[in-house]
Amino acid sequence: MKRRIATLFFAVLFLSVSAQNVTITGRSNKTNTLIRLFAYEDLVNETGTLLDQGQTDAQGHFILEGSVKQILPARVFVGLESVDLILTPNATYDIEIIVPEKKDDVSYFEKELPTIRVKRATDKGIYRQVIYSEEIINAYMTEHFNQIYRGRQLRYIDSIQNAISREVPDIKSDYVKNHNRYKIAAIKLGISTDGGKRIIKDYYDGQPVLYSQSAYIDLFKELFDGYFNSAAYDSHLLNDAFAQGPAALKKYLNTDPLMANNPQLAELITIYNLQILCYGERGTSRLAKDHLNQLKSQTIYPEHKAIISDFFENFNRLAPGAAATEFTLKDRNGNDVSLSDYKDRLVLLQFVDGTSPVSEHQFSELRSLHNQWQDTVQILTIATHDKMEFFMKQFTEKKQDWPLLDLGDQILLLEDYNVRTFPEYILIKRNNKIGEAPAPSPERYLEERVRRLYGK
C-alpha cells in the first residue's frame, strides 16, 4: 500500500513539473468571435501549438486555459487578428484586446494592429519586464537612430542597458535577461563592421541554444541565413559534400571551428539552411529534403526532431499535388457550393475582402481571362462575410457570372490556404490537388501557370 501511495505521489509530482496550468481571462471589443490561444516552442518555423479555443460572448468576455512546461512566447487570436503574450507556468492573466475596425481605404500593410493590455498577471512580473524593456530599447533607437547606426556610437548601447537597469530593476528571470541580452546583440549587429563575427563569438559560440527565446531565434536567423555560403567554406567542396550525403556534409561543415565546437548549434544551423534550400531548384530541393529526413532520424536533440517535423508539415501542406482543403460555402443565391463539385476541372480560388485600385484592376484582368477560359477553368471568388453585399452588387453591375461565395464564419479557411493579403489566388488541379499556392495575380503570369497545369 505504501509503495502504491509513493508511486502515485511521484506520478502526480511528475505531471505537475512537466506541465502546469495557465489561465487567461479577458475581454475584447470583438463579440461572438472565435478566440484561440497558441504557444510557440518552435520559433524557427513559427509553428504554434493550440492550447485552447472558444468564443467571446455577447459582451466580448472570454476564458482560455492551457498547459506549458516552460516560459513560452504565445499568441492570442481574435478571429484572424492576433496579439502576443508570454506564458509562464502556473500563472494567471487578466487581459484586454482591442481590434481596430477595418477601413476600406487602408491597405493590408498599413492597417492599425490590435493591441493588448495586461491588467493583471501572476507571472512574477516577467511579461511586464519584457514589455518595459522593449519600450526602453525602442525609444532609444527612435531617438538616437543616426548616432547609433550612422555614427556607430556604442555609448548609446550602454545608455540603453543603464536605462533598463534603472527603470526595470530586480530582473531575476533568465528569460527576461536573455531577451534583453539578445535584443542588445541585434543592435550591435546593425553597427558591426565584421559581418557579425564578433556577435557570433560573444552570443552563440559556447552558449546554450535558446529555442523558446524569440530574441535569440530572431538574431539567429539574421546571422545564420545563408551560412553555407559564408567565407568559412569553399563552395565547390561544400557542393561535393552536400551531394555525397549527410555524413560527408557534416564532416565538411565541421572544418569550421564554430560548427565543430558547438554540435547542438551546428545542427540547428544546418537544419535552418537545409530548410531554405528546400525552396530552391528541384535537384537541390530533393537533396535538402533527404538530408533533413536523415537528420530527423539520427538527431539526439528532441527539439530538432520537432523542428524538422514542423517544417515538413508546413512545406507539404500547400505543396503541388497536396490535397486541397475541402469546403462548402453559400453562393450569392444561398445555394451550397463545394470545392469537390469541380474535381474534374482546374479551379482558381480568389479570396477578396473589400476594394482597392489593385483589386479593381485584377478583377478587370480576371474578367478577360474568364472569357478566354470558358469551361476549362472554374473561378470561385470567396468574399469575407462583411463584404459579401458589396461584391454581390459588383458582380451584378459588372456581369461577372462565375460563383461568388460567402466565407461566412469559416474564417479558418483563410489559414488553411495561407491567405495573408487580399486579393489572394490559389490554383487547384484536377481531383482537388494543389497546383500552386499562392498563384500569381491575373496580370502577372497567371495565364501561363494555368496553361502549364492544364492536362496534368
Side-chain angles (χ1 to χ4, degrees), residues 178-219:
N178 284 322
H179 172 272
N180 294 344
R181 183 167 182 252
Y182 285 93
K183 282 291 183 179
I184 295 296
I187 298 172
K188 290 181 179 179
L189 177 62
I191 61 178
S192 68
T193 57
D194 64 356
K197 291 180 181 177
R198 183 71 188 183
I199 302 299
I200 290 174
K201 184 177 186 304
D202 291 346
Y203 292 89
Y204 288 87
D205 191 4
Q207 302 297 315
V209 178
L210 306 177
Y211 296 98
S212 62
Q213 176 53 254
S214 58
Y216 175 98
I217 295 297
D218 287 345
L219 184 57

Side-chain angles (χ1 to χ4, degrees), residues 402-419:
W402 63 84
L404 169 65
L405 309 182
D406 185 352
L407 182 64
D409 61 0
Q410 296 189 45
I411 59 173
L412 295 186
L413 191 63
L414 299 178
E415 287 189 359
D416 290 336
Y417 283 104
N418 202 31
V419 176

Side-chain angles (χ1 to χ4, degrees), residues 348 350 362-370 379 402 425 442:
L348 175 67
Q350 181 199 37
Q362 291 184 7
F363 263 111
S364 176
E365 295 289 329
L366 196 58
R367 284 193 293 272
S368 297
L369 290 174
H370 175 60
I379 302 172
W402 63 84
Y425 300 87

Side-chain angles (χ1 to χ4, degrees), residues 94-112:
D94 183 18
I95 68 176
E96 182 178 39
I97 301 172
I98 302 298
V99 179
E101 295 299 323
K102 289 189 293 185
K103 298 178 181 178
D104 289 341
D105 59 344
V106 175
S107 75
Y108 175 87
F109 297 103
E110 295 173 332
K111 69 178 183 179
E112 190 178 353

Side-chain angles (χ1 to χ4, degrees), residues 200 223-233 238 253 256-259 269-270 272-273 276:
I200 290 174
L223 284 168
F224 297 110
D225 183 354
Y227 194 74
F228 288 177
N229 298 321
S230 70
Y233 301 116
L238 179 64
L253 291 177
D256 173 16
L258 173 74
M259 301 288 276
I269 294 171
T270 303
Y272 182 56
N273 282 273
I276 295 170

Side-chain angles (χ1 to χ4, degrees), residues 298-453:
Q298 295 178 347
T299 183
I300 63 172
Y301 306 109
E303 297 91 348
H304 295 176
K305 190 181 293 290
I307 287 170
I308 296 171
S309 294
D310 288 343
F311 169 76
F312 277 123
E313 182 176 346
N314 293 334
F315 184 86
N316 293 327
R317 184 166 58 87
L318 292 174
T325 299
E326 170 64 1
F327 58 79
T328 299
L329 301 172
K330 297 287 186 183
D331 68 9
R332 50 180 157 165
N333 298 314
N335 300 317
D336 285 343
V337 175
S338 300
L339 179 62
S340 57
D341 295 340
Y342 305 100
K343 64 182 179 180
D344 296 326
R345 301 174 63 179
L346 293 181
V347 177
L348 175 67
L349 302 182
Q350 181 199 37
F351 292 90
V352 293
D353 177 32
T355 185
S356 68
V358 172
S359 177
E360 288 291 335
H361 177 62
Q362 291 184 7
F363 263 111
S364 176
E365 295 289 329
L366 196 58
R367 284 193 293 272
S368 297
L369 290 174
H370 175 60
N371 293 333
Q372 295 176 36
W373 289 337
Q374 298 297 322
D375 296 328
T376 59
V377 181
Q378 178 63 59
I379 302 172
L380 299 177
T381 294
I382 301 174
T384 53
H385 180 67
D386 59 337
K387 298 299 180 183
M388 186 64 183
E389 187 174 338
F390 167 83
F391 283 107
M392 287 174 63
K393 182 179 179 182
Q394 175 180 308
F395 268 55
T396 300
E397 291 176 350
K398 304 290 186 181
K399 298 181 179 180
Q400 294 164 180
D401 58 355
W402 63 84
L404 169 65
L405 309 182
D406 185 352
L407 182 64
D409 61 0
Q410 296 189 45
I411 59 173
L412 295 186
L413 191 63
L414 299 178
E415 287 189 359
D416 290 336
Y417 283 104
N418 202 31
V419 176
R420 301 296 187 191
T421 60
F422 296 97
E424 185 73 284
Y425 300 87
I426 308 291
L427 269 172
I428 309 294
K429 298 191 296 185
R430 289 177 176 84
N431 296 314
N432 293 162
K433 303 293 185 182
I434 296 292
E436 189 166 358
S441 56
E443 78 280 17
R444 293 183 180 274
Y445 312 111
L446 177 60
E447 172 73 3
E448 176 185 318
R449 304 299 174 83
V450 169
R451 289 181 182 276
R452 187 182 303 170
L453 288 175

